[in-house]
Amino acid sequence: MKGIVLISGGGSNLQSIIENSSYIGLKIDCVISNNPDAYGLERAKIKGIKTHVIDNNKFLSRNEFEVKLIEVIEKYNPEIIIFAGFMRILTSNFTNKYLGKMINIHPSLLPKFQGLNTHERALKANEKKHGVSIHFVTAELDGGPIIAQKAIDILPSDNPNSLAKRVLIEEHKIYPIVLLWFAQGRLKLDNNVALLDNKPI
Ligand code: GRF
């Protein structure tokens, strides 16, 4: 499977995907970041993966940014677009174009805590459990059909940082498994329903 990875930050999920790429059967053709300072760009370069920076601050509108993003993506003709900590909201123009090919990882038990600061919000809400979700990307922010989730217990001693660290450990384990399913052709988006082996998840 040929894919590209979109990032905005540290890229620890990217690292885990790179390390598991032969297990997944994935060739990462390039990594795109909207943030020129994303450490994930270094992680890609170290592994000899091509990188592109498309700095959203250099575009006057969301639409112009997306036109450039699409132009770069089209060069690679990817079978999958992997969102790994990509922090830009995309319009339905973009999400409809690649519908069924885009997968995102989100650090909460969706539909709880869509958006930012999920760990802090889970603690404030006195949740007993928190975790990670992987979902197909649709026009609804963090709202596409859920593919897989992993829950962890929130400990009385937790703060947003400690919780984020433990959730990340689970993220790094679960994302390669979902990507393997996709590479094997077992995972599909059908009429806004995620199917694994032709059965709704
Ligand atoms: C992860 O928590 C991911 O779920 C969220 O952004 C964070 C990215 O971390 N979407 P990293 O850049 O992969 O280290």
Side-chain angles (χ1 to χ4, degrees):
M1 174 169 74
K2 278 162 48 66
I4 64 174
V5 184
L6 302 189
I7 62 164
S8 298
S12 68
N13 276 290
L14 168 67
Q15 187 76 41
S16 127
I17 295 164
I18 292 172
E19 279 160 18
N20 285 287
S21 53
S22 34
Y23 159 79
I24 299 166
L26 170 69
K27 173 160 184 308
I28 304 172
D29 282 335
C30 83
V31 169
I32 303 175
S33 173
N34 66 306
N35 169 12
D37 300 323
Y39 180 64
L41 289 167
E42 304 311 313
R43 297 183 191 266
K45 284 179 196 157
I46 289 167
K47 296 288 180 179
I49 300 169
K50 196 155 173 38
T51 60
H52 293 273
V53 173
I54 306 174
D55 183 349
N56 54 282
N57 292 315
K58 301 219 159 114
F59 295 84
L60 290 175
S61 67
R62 206 172 279 283
N63 186 48
E64 282 177 42
F65 168 73
E66 284 183 8
V67 167
K68 181 68 191 171
L69 185 58
I70 290 170
E71 184 190 309
V72 173
I73 290 174
E74 287 299 297
K75 284 188 197 158
Y76 294 94
N77 196 19
E79 292 166 87
I80 185 167
I81 302 173
I82 301 163
F83 289 67
F86 184 66
M87 305 299 280
R88 292 299 297 167
I89 294 175
L90 295 163
T91 69
S92 57
N93 182 36
F94 183 95
T95 54
N96 289 340
K97 184 170 175 66
Y98 297 111
L99 198 64
K101 284 186 172 189
M102 300 169 293
I103 296 185
N104 183 42
I105 187 158
H106 182 77
S108 79
L109 296 173
L110 290 170
K112 286 184 176 169
F113 311 117
Q114 295 168 324
L116 299 174
N117 305 321
T118 58
H119 311 301
E120 200 178 325
R121 286 158 63 207
L123 286 169
K124 278 209 179 115
N126 281 319
E127 295 288 333
K128 298 279 166 280
K129 294 203 180 269
H130 187 47
V132 50
S133 304
I134 299 192
H135 64 94
F136 278 109
V137 175
T138 64
E140 199 193 326
L141 178 69
D142 299 326
I146 293 169
I147 301 166
Q149 292 184 305
K150 170 75 190 196
I152 60 169
D153 292 327
I154 295 185
L155 307 176
S157 58
D158 264 326
N159 57 48
N161 272 340
S162 64
L163 197 50
K165 275 191 190 154
R166 292 211 319 289
V167 170
L168 264 182
I169 291 170
E170 300 305 328
E171 294 187 33
H172 300 158
K173 291 190 217 160
I174 197 171
Y175 215 176
I177 296 171
V178 169
L179 296 174
L180 171 68
W181 294 343
F182 194 89
Q184 291 172 328
R186 299 172 55 195
L187 191 59
K188 297 257 153 44
L189 180 67
D190 180 42
N191 254 324
N192 215 35
V193 177
L195 302 179
L196 181 62
D197 297 333
N198 296 316
K199 292 185 201 83
I201 294 172

